[in-house]
Amino acid sequence: MRKQLFTLFGIILFAQTLFAQSKTVTGTVTSQSDGLSLPGVSVLIEGTAKSTVTDFDGKFSILVNENETLLFSFVGFSTKKVKVLAGTSVVNLKMTEELNALSEVVVLGSTVRATRKELGNAVTSLKGEDLVKAQPGGLSTALQGKIAGAQVSQNSGDPAGGFSIKLRGTSSILGSSDPLYVIDGVVLNNATTNVTNLNVTTGNSNMQIGQNRSSDINPNDIQSIEVLNGGAAAAIYGSRAANGVVLITTKKGVAGETRYTFSTSVTSNQIRKKLDLNMSDKQFVSTSPALFPIQGNPASPTTVSVLGRNLETRTFGVQRYDYQDDIFTTGIGTDTYFSMQGGDEKTKYFASLGHLVNEGIIKNTDFKRTGAKVRLKHDFNSKLSATVGLNYVNSSSNEKPDGNVFWSPINSINITNNIYDISQRDANGNLLAVDPNRINPLSIIETFKIKQNTDRIISDLQLNYVPFKNFNADLIFGIDNYNQRGNVYIPRYPYIVNPAYYNDGYVSEATNRVVQFNNDLNLKYVWNINENWKATTYGGYNIQTYRDNFVAVEGRNLKPFIETINAFNTLIPGSPSSSQSKYNLWGYYLQETFGYKDKLYVTIAGRQDASTIFSSDNRSQFYPKASFSYVLSDEKFMESIHDIVSSVRIRGSWGKSGSLTAIKPYARFTNYSTGTLIGNSTFTIEGFKQGNLDLKPEQSVTYEIGGDFGFIKDRLNLSFSYYNADIDDLLLPVQLAASEGATNTIKNIGQMNNRGFEVNLKYDIIKKENLHLDAFVNYSSNRNKVTGLPQTRFKLDSNLAGAPVFVEMDKPVGIFYGTYFARNPDGSLLLTPDGYPQTEKGNASTGVAERDQTTGQPKGAILNKQIGNPNPDYIISFGANLNYKKFGLSVLFDGVQGVDVFDADYRTRQGVGSGTIVAQELNGELPRGYIWSVYNIEEFRIVDGSYLKLREISLNYSFGKINKFFDDLTITASGRNLISWDNFTSFDPETNSGGQSSVAKYNFGTVPIPSSYSLAVKFQF
């Protein structure tokens, strides 16, 4: 059946076309209420994909056939239609406000469009101008707080740090939960590839540290963004849609006189919050200052015995220092942007140049991005047009180790007793040692050289063919090609350092080249069956190829005066290393939407996908979708209350989608490593991991129901959605008996469920000619539960922070499972006879705590249980926009609640002597040995990671047209991440030392997110 339908499409496409007389129609679009011109209005030839937008003066020009209809649409205004007759050459249109938002056109795929009322899914639409109000610098930064149901987290405050986006919770355990990114029809690679942290152990939870490639996208180039959750993108993107899709449309040319935009801004980045440290003038006497004050001493009359360790009670005077003043600085950033757009009725163009420099709050760190973009569209005739896009980006960064190691600047603050003057130097100017075996933080700041450079080209060629009315074909060729290179140089230290920290120096060089190509064909036919019924058919195919090549070399024991990879005398074990990944993905789809009286819509769709990541028997999967939408407010019985309840729509959808990120292309095979034994070549199983040819893609089946309501002539809009996603065939590691020839493998044996709801509320409180005030709230709650495992629980992550990340049946994914405090029935701590907290004990097989009948103290084995949950109870964002004459003010708050974080830094500060609990123990506010009593209890490190942030605030003034040359001058003052209301024990609860991992959430030496203050000037001429 599917083959017959696609054959029919091919016949229609190449059938004899109908010819009609073409002509150019021009005009101006203005607002009905105030007569002002409306820039950015979409002018679409109905039934085709041919369109343009109005320029800064509201003018447009478009090549159109007689008897075709122009469709004018703009957010906040009612959609209007104008039929082009024989005598029509100029259309001057006045658009009225109070748009029924259901008529808004949204993007569903590379060239797939639909009105919101046709959809059975919630789709978030964002305008480009709303993304850049507070000078975000990067795409992910711009999205924070603006997408309902999305947790957008900045995992590191380093200017080259990464971001992660989760739409409706965690959707994979070994793979990524980030959505698919598509820009102008090009499928983007947003991977995190570690090229500068090769010496960091990543654990086994797919921990992703470093910079992901969404940082290459300049928000100033974006026209609009559509975010598709759940099954909304199932038909178009199939096996790549389980995590949702972010569809980015960049700016394009418009007919008319060339228009120019120039903007520049300066930004100041500052540490938002400094830690309270132990600044007392004494410390306990110890045989070693390391791990002060829990270091044991020989028993003596001045020691106390606490849980098997003798601790000294005597003190002596010291001077303490706040190393934060030596590590942090004020970073300055600039963002300069220039664009031009224009054209005539046949050829339209857009071009831009951008240069960003962003200094970090850690000294000697920065990120730079330079980009050039060109987009050209040419109409060969009324039926055929072509668009070419080219975007070149070069980014570079100067970095310092960022978490997960004992030699990062932040970790040097946390793991060093603050009794050393780290600025002292010897006669030769060399820095002196600090805590035994530790690294002086200034050595990292001054001598470590860590650089990353990326060259990237994102390009597309699109052909649009309209052989006859209501039918069009779009062919897309897209390529994403980048080269990423990282270099690290750590010199020999002039003092004694733990050999594990590369006391004799370290160098590394890594390159990563990625080429990703996609070829899409989308066909659309609209059949107006009669005045009541309309059928819209979409069909097409997608082909995607992926190739990467990663090469790395690491060495230590450096030669003098050489800072390149040639400096090493000793190779690191396992180096050099090289890997390649190759896979192809292809699929085709068919989607049919039936509309009845423009108020009832039913959509059915199916997609067949295949990927070479999996074996030929399992690679082909079918992804169906069905949805309905009913505009209840269009019924006659609603007319009497239309002034109060202006629009009502109920909707529902069901769809199946997939995920390909959990394994790499060759993971199904048993891989071997070579070696030698007694002079002969040997082959051993790599990682003792056995392959599995029966693997297949992870799959998600989602249903969603919801509604959209407009009140008081659509001034008050409410939207809600409830969803349930059952995720099957999760790929998980499985232990094997050694007799099978390997110790582990991977299988499709996991199941997981995500369910929750989203609420969006927006209210135009005041809407007058010179005064407009609106407020909005986005709220979402997701509940995740693991519903299928081969065993009750297993430890997922092995990390340097010691975070006990587990997967357990009937629990949220990524819980913390570890030792915990013994407590009394009322919940208070059960203390030892000497008054110290202690670990709970009992029956290890049942997990039941036990007490000695005589003493009432814990007895038995040390117990473990769930001690924390990193998944939020809910996500919320809210804000307001005020426009008064030429002034504009926007405020955005963003936060998560109910999040637990494993804070390794908080515990370590107490162990080395710089923490605030140390001061309490020194001053007698806590008994000597209190820190030692809680130090090894994992629950002690679980802290509340909830926060509410003042994410953005911006104030702008538009001077309007100044003279004949300048059409507008706008000055904007803005700030980001200015205030955080939280109870976090370290710098920032939002950051994550697990990077872009789907499940790991802990804090171990990661750079905090700075507060940023910006001043921007924008000219349009």
Side-chain angles (χ1 to χ4, degrees):
M1 179 63 181
R2 286 191 295 268
K3 290 183 178 179
Q4 292 173 342
L5 288 172
F6 280 106
T7 301
L8 177 60
F9 267 112
I11 294 173
I12 294 174
L13 176 63
F14 297 104
Q16 180 66 35
T17 59
L18 303 177
F19 294 92
Q21 185 175 353
S22 301
K23 60 181 175 179
T24 300
V25 174
T26 60
T28 304
V29 182
T30 58
S31 170
Q32 177 72 46
S33 60
D34 53 23
L36 296 177
S37 59
L38 293 177
V41 175
S42 174
V43 185
L44 172 71
I45 300 176
E46 190 176 31
T48 75
K50 293 177 62 63
S51 66
T52 186
V53 294
T54 57
D55 63 16
F56 296 122
D57 296 321
K59 296 180 179 179
F60 73 94
S61 175
I62 191 169
L63 190 66
V64 62
N65 296 328
E66 292 181 8
N67 297 319
E68 288 188 323
T69 300
L70 296 178
L71 184 70
F72 296 81
S73 62
F74 191 56
V75 177
F77 291 80
S78 299
T79 299
K80 285 196 172 183
K81 296 181 180 181
V82 176
K83 189 171 184 179
V84 177
L85 303 176
T88 306
S89 59
V90 177
V91 175
N92 292 322
L93 188 70
K94 293 184 180 294
M95 299 188 70
T96 57
E97 296 184 63
E98 311 297 348
L99 167 72
N100 182 331
L102 301 180
S103 299
E104 179 187 355
V105 176
V106 296
V107 180
L108 298 179
S110 51
T111 58
V112 180
R113 307 288 188 271
T115 59
R116 195 173 292 275
K117 69 172 67 176
E118 297 177 60
L119 306 178
N121 311 83
V123 177
T124 301
S125 299
L126 303 172
K127 294 188 293 184
E129 56 264 33
D130 293 333
L131 298 174
V132 296
K133 287 181 178 179
Q135 308 302 310
L139 170 62
S140 298
T141 311
L143 295 177
Q144 287 187 294
K146 299 180 177 71
I147 307 172
Q151 183 179 359
V152 185
S153 302
Q154 184 171 350
N155 296 319
S156 169
D158 187 279
F163 280 79
S164 60
I165 299 178
K166 288 184 181 180
L167 301 175
R168 297 180 174 178
T170 301
S171 55
S172 180
I173 294 177
L174 295 185
S176 171
S177 289
D178 274 28
L180 177 73
Y181 289 83
V182 182
I183 181 167
D184 293 328
V186 182
V187 178
L188 290 182
N189 186 293
N190 189 39
T192 300
T193 303
N194 180 9
V195 294
T196 57
N197 297 280
L198 304 180
N199 47 17
V200 177
T201 301
T202 59
N204 55 7
S205 70
N206 196 28
M207 185 178 81
Q208 298 290 328
I209 54 176
Q211 182 185 83
N212 44 353
R213 299 269 45 95
S214 63
S215 59
D216 297 329
I217 306 303
N218 190 337
N220 292 296
D221 284 330
I222 295 175
Q223 180 71 35
S224 64
I225 290 178
E226 261 79 27
V227 181
L228 313 181
N229 294 333
I236 312 299
Y237 295 104
S239 59
R240 298 166 290 176
N243 301 341
V245 183
V246 176
L247 295 163
I248 304 168
T249 303
T250 63
K251 295 174 181 177
K252 54 187 177 182
V254 295
E257 185 180 354
T258 302
R259 300 287 180 169
Y260 304 92
T261 299
F262 174 79
S263 64
T264 186
S265 65
V266 60
T267 299
S268 172
N269 300 314
Q270 303 172 14
I271 181 70
R272 179 185 58 79
K273 160 191 162 184
K274 293 177 66 177
L275 297 180
D276 292 329
L277 301 175
N278 175 22
M279 300 304 292
S280 63
D281 59 357
K282 56 186 176 183
Q283 74 167 357
F284 291 110
V285 173
S286 178
T287 57
S288 170
L291 287 181
F292 169 84
I294 62 173
Q295 181 70 38
N297 291 296
S300 74
T302 58
T303 62
V304 295
S305 179
V306 181
L307 299 174
R309 179 164 287 186
N310 298 314
L311 301 175
E312 183 64 66
T313 59
R314 292 175 298 161
T315 62
F316 67 96
V318 295
Q319 179 181 352
R320 294 188 181 273
Y321 301 89
D322 187 349
Y323 300 151
Q324 295 174 105
D325 297 331
D326 300 288
I327 300 301
F328 294 115
T329 186
T330 297
I332 302 299
T334 60
D335 189 2
T336 303
Y337 181 76
F338 174 77
S339 70
M340 56 187 292
Q341 61 182 160
D344 54 30
E345 65 275 7
K346 283 189 173 292
T347 304
K348 305 173 183 65
Y349 57 86
F350 172 86
S352 69
L353 291 171
H355 181 63
L356 171 77
V357 177
N358 190 27
E359 294 180 347
I361 57 174
I362 298 294
K363 291 180 179 179
N364 297 332
T365 61
D366 61 54
F367 173 72
K368 300 176 183 178
R369 183 186 65 221
T370 301
K373 180 178 177 62
V374 176
R375 194 151 192 84
L376 178 68
K377 181 181 180 182
H378 179 72
D379 295 327
F380 295 99
N381 50 49
S382 63
K383 300 183 183 302
L384 180 64
S385 63
T387 301
V388 177
L390 178 64
N391 188 10
Y392 169 75
V393 183
N394 172 263
S395 65
S396 62
S397 59
N398 288 297
E399 307 171 17
K400 301 299 175 185
D402 184 14
N404 295 292
V405 293
F406 284 96
W407 56 86
S408 73
I410 301 298
N411 262 346
S412 294
I413 294 173
N414 290 309
I415 67 174
T416 303
N417 191 5
N418 58 335
I419 60 174
Y420 303 92
D421 182 356
I422 62 175
S423 64
Q424 288 189 341
R425 302 174 187 266
D426 61 20
N428 296 320
N430 296 316
L431 291 165
L432 300 182
V434 291
D435 223 340
N437 295 323
R438 304 300 196 195
I439 297 176
N440 188 320
L442 291 185
S443 293
I444 307 168
I445 295 295
E446 296 178 4
T447 66
F448 282 31
K449 296 181 180 180
I450 304 176
K451 298 179 181 293
Q452 184 174 175
N453 187 279
T454 302
D455 285 293
R456 188 174 195 176
I457 293 177
I458 304 170
S459 182
D460 68 288
L461 169 63
Q462 304 189 22
L463 300 175
N464 173 250
Y465 182 51
V466 186
F468 52 86
K469 184 179 180 180
N470 291 343
F471 181 85
N472 62 275
D474 297 292
L475 184 63
I476 302 173
F477 299 93
I479 188 169
D480 182 9
N481 179 12
Y482 64 84
N483 290 292
Q484 188 178 5
R485 180 171 178 171
N487 296 89
V488 177
Y489 168 70
I490 299 175
R492 291 175 178 267
Y493 301 99
Y495 45 81
I496 296 176
V497 170
N498 188 329
Y501 306 162
Y502 302 103
N503 59 322
D504 53 0
Y506 171 90
V507 288
S508 72
E509 182 175 299
T511 59
N512 180 47
R513 179 175 182 179
V514 174
V515 179
Q516 186 169 280
F517 172 82
N518 67 279
N519 170 213
D520 300 359
L521 173 66
N522 295 314
L523 307 174
K524 178 184 178 182
Y525 179 66
V526 179
W527 180 24
N528 295 304
I529 303 171
N530 55 43
E531 63 178 16
N532 292 329
W533 287 93
K534 182 178 75 171
T536 304
T537 305
Y538 275 104
Y541 68 78
N542 314 110
I543 299 173
Q544 180 180 326
T545 63
Y546 174 88
R547 305 287 186 268
D548 74 33
N549 192 340
F550 180 86
V551 179
V553 180
E554 299 175 83
R556 62 185 303 170
N557 186 18
L558 303 189
K559 304 168 186 174
F561 311 116
I562 302 176
E563 298 182 2
T564 65
I565 194 63
N566 298 321
F568 71 84
N569 287 302
T570 305
L571 275 172
I572 301 293
S575 180
S577 61
S578 176
S579 65
Q580 290 184 344
S581 293
K582 299 179 181 181
Y583 71 84
N584 298 329
L585 169 70
W586 63 95
Y588 52 92
Y589 74 95
L590 185 65
Q591 175 173 299
E592 188 72 43
T593 298
F594 296 97
Y596 175 70
K597 290 189 175 180
D598 206 24
K599 62 183 178 183
L600 176 63
Y601 296 90
V602 176
T603 298
I604 55 174
R607 178 182 177 87
Q608 192 76 29
D609 250 2
S611 172
T612 57
I613 293 176
F614 304 92
S615 64
S616 57
D617 293 335
N618 295 324
R619 64 180 47 155
S620 184
Q621 303 288 329
F622 182 63
Y623 299 97
K625 169 191 171 182
S627 68
F628 78 92
S629 174
Y630 178 32
V631 184
L632 189 64
S633 52
D634 284 353
E635 299 292 351
K636 288 187 177 181
F637 63 82
M638 295 287 292
E639 292 180 356
S640 60
I641 58 172
H642 195 265
D643 289 342
I644 300 175
V645 184
S646 45
S647 61
V648 178
R649 178 174 73 119
I650 57 175
R651 49 182 165 78
S653 66
W654 174 92
K656 183 178 180 181
S657 53
S659 174
L660 302 176
T661 63
I663 60 172
K664 293 185 177 181
Y666 308 123
R668 70 181 187 271
F669 300 111
T670 300
N671 296 305
Y672 294 88
S673 297
T674 59
T676 58
L677 179 63
I678 317 179
N680 298 313
S681 298
T682 63
F683 296 88
T684 57
I685 296 179
E686 190 176 82
F688 302 104
K689 183 177 181 179
Q690 188 179 83
N692 183 358
L693 297 179
D694 292 329
L695 298 181
K696 56 185 177 180
E698 297 179 335
Q699 300 188 30
S700 176
V701 177
T702 304
Y703 72 81
E704 173 185 334
I705 57 174
D708 304 287
F709 303 87
F711 304 95
I712 321 173
K713 296 183 178 179
D714 276 352
R715 287 181 57 185
L716 175 63
N717 289 279
L718 171 67
S719 176
F720 78 89
S721 300
Y722 172 83
Y723 61 88
N724 184 90
D726 289 314
I727 304 168
D728 296 322
D729 295 323
L730 281 172
L731 290 160
L732 295 176
V734 177
Q735 297 300 311
L736 298 176
S739 59
E740 296 188 41
T743 60
N744 66 98
T745 187
I746 188 168
K747 294 182 179 180
N748 291 99
I749 53 174
Q751 293 177 316
M752 191 162 54
N753 175 265
N754 282 307
R755 58 181 175 85
F757 63 92
E758 302 159 351
V759 179
N760 310 315
L761 180 67
K762 183 177 180 181
Y763 182 34
D764 287 326
I765 303 171
I766 303 174
K767 200 166 187 180
K768 297 183 178 180
E769 181 176 347
N770 292 320
L771 179 62
H772 183 201
L773 173 64
D774 67 69
F776 61 90
V777 178
N778 295 328
Y779 176 92
S780 63
S781 177
N782 180 80
R783 292 293 179 268
N784 174 276
K785 184 168 71 171
V786 177
T787 56
L789 282 181
Q791 59 198 68
T792 302
R793 76 180 64 86
F794 65 88
K795 189 173 184 179
L796 182 64
D797 185 51
S798 176
N799 53 76
L800 199 61
V805 181
F806 274 75
V807 177
E808 182 175 350
M809 273 291 294
D810 299 322
K811 298 285 188 179
V813 66
I815 62 168
F816 301 116
Y817 180 86
T819 57
Y820 56 100
F821 288 105
R823 297 182 183 273
N824 294 306
D826 63 359
S828 60
L829 294 179
L830 173 58
L831 304 179
T832 67
D834 296 325
Y836 296 99
Q838 58 187 316
T839 307
E840 187 60 275
K841 298 178 180 179
N843 188 320
S845 61
T846 63
V848 177
E850 295 180 345
R851 299 287 181 263
D852 185 279
Q853 293 184 355
T854 303
T855 63
Q857 291 293 303
K859 71 171 186 176
I862 293 176
L863 297 182
N864 293 269
K865 70 173 184 178
Q866 178 183 333
I867 56 177
N869 180 7
N871 302 282
D873 290 339
Y874 65 88
I875 304 167
I876 190 169
S877 62
F878 56 91
N881 298 286
L882 172 67
N883 290 284
Y884 174 67
K885 294 184 178 179
K886 295 184 177 182
F887 285 95
L889 174 67
S890 297
V891 181
L892 173 65
F893 296 87
D894 175 36
V896 298
Q897 296 296 310
V899 174
D900 292 321
V901 176
F902 188 89
D903 190 1
D905 286 351
Y906 175 62
R907 177 244 201 178
T908 307
R909 286 196 301 276
Q910 318 312 323
V912 301
S914 62
T916 53
I917 300 179
V918 177
Q920 293 178 277
E921 194 169 312
L922 280 166
N923 296 330
E925 299 171 28
L926 291 172
R928 177 67 175 116
Y930 177 87
I931 294 172
W932 172 241
S933 71
V934 301
Y935 199 71
N936 292 317
I937 302 176
E938 289 171 312
E939 186 185 3
F940 172 62
R941 284 163 272 182
I942 302 297
V943 300
D944 182 12
S946 303
Y947 63 85
L948 178 66
K949 291 189 176 185
L950 176 54
R951 185 69 75 183
E952 291 183 1
I953 183 169
S954 66
L955 175 65
N956 65 76
Y957 181 79
S958 174
F959 289 89
K961 193 173 183 65
I962 301 176
N963 51 40
K964 292 182 179 180
F965 185 73
F966 288 107
D967 294 315
D968 182 57
L969 167 62
T970 301
I971 298 177
T972 303
S974 60
R976 296 187 59 83
N977 301 303
L978 302 186
I979 304 173
S980 179
W981 292 271
D982 61 68
N983 297 314
F984 195 55
T985 47
S986 289
F987 285 110
D988 199 315
E990 184 180 347
T991 59
N992 181 15
S993 299
Q996 288 72 260
S997 168
S998 296
V999 293
K1001 175 69 174 175
Y1002 57 89
N1003 179 52
F1004 185 49
T1006 299
V1007 178
I1009 301 170
S1011 293
S1012 301
Y1013 302 85
S1014 301
L1015 182 64
V1017 180
K1018 180 179 180 180
F1019 296 92
Q1020 292 178 319
F1021 52 96

